[in-house]
Amino acid sequence: MPALRLCGELGCHPPATGCTSASYDQALIAADAPAHTYRDAEHCDGKWLVLDFSWRTGPVCGDTTATPSGCTSRLGDRWFFRAKPAGWAPITSSATGGCAAVRRAEPAFPTALCAGLAPLSPSLHPSYPPASPTSG
């Protein structure tokens, strides 16, 4: 009788870490990306990865009374990863362009993968000021 074993989210034979769609799915899981996430851009050299992704927000897609529609309302993020034997390991996330954020966290991250990155659109990655104190 075969022995039973517990397999992970990616099955019993997860994809090798690399520049493939299956490997990018593993990176999304490692970054704890929301369900139904879409990969928007990948920059990969096999050892390092930049992954931009977005997910739908708001009302259900197809609700014609909602403004904005759930089909167009999105949020997004950008994550940087290093290849490890067990898969892509998150380094940091940042909505800024260029390399400054990732190079602060990991100075060895190659500039070839991040130098040309534009900042994420404010509509994808909004920033909210802290709540102001209320007078009581």
Side-chain angles (χ1 to χ4, degrees):
M1 193 182 289
L4 296 177
R5 66 179 174 161
L6 181 63
C7 296
E9 284 183 74
L10 297 172
C12 292
H13 304 286
T17 303
C19 302
T20 65
S21 291
S23 184
Y24 299 152
D25 289 341
Q26 179 274 319
L28 289 173
I29 291 168
D32 200 24
H36 310 293
T37 294
Y38 299 90
R39 291 188 316 271
D40 298 324
E42 302 97 15
H43 307 281
C44 179
D45 71 0
K47 295 181 182 181
W48 306 93
L49 170 66
V50 181
L51 188 60
D52 290 1
F53 56 91
S54 62
W55 57 94
R56 304 277 188 224
T57 63
V60 173
C61 208
D63 180 353
T64 58
T65 63
T67 305
S69 160
C71 295
T72 59
S73 179
R74 303 174 355 162
L75 290 176
D77 217 343
R78 172 179 292 141
W79 277 82
F80 300 87
F81 300 86
R82 171 196 292 264
K84 298 282 187 176
W88 290 110
I91 299 169
T92 191
S93 67
S94 175
T96 62
C99 296
V102 68
R103 297 290 303 251
R104 265 193 307 276
E106 176 51 78
F109 196 91
T111 57
L113 294 179
C114 56
L117 294 174
L120 289 181
S121 164
S123 67
L124 282 178
H125 200 88
S127 168
Y128 300 101
S132 57
T134 58
S135 57

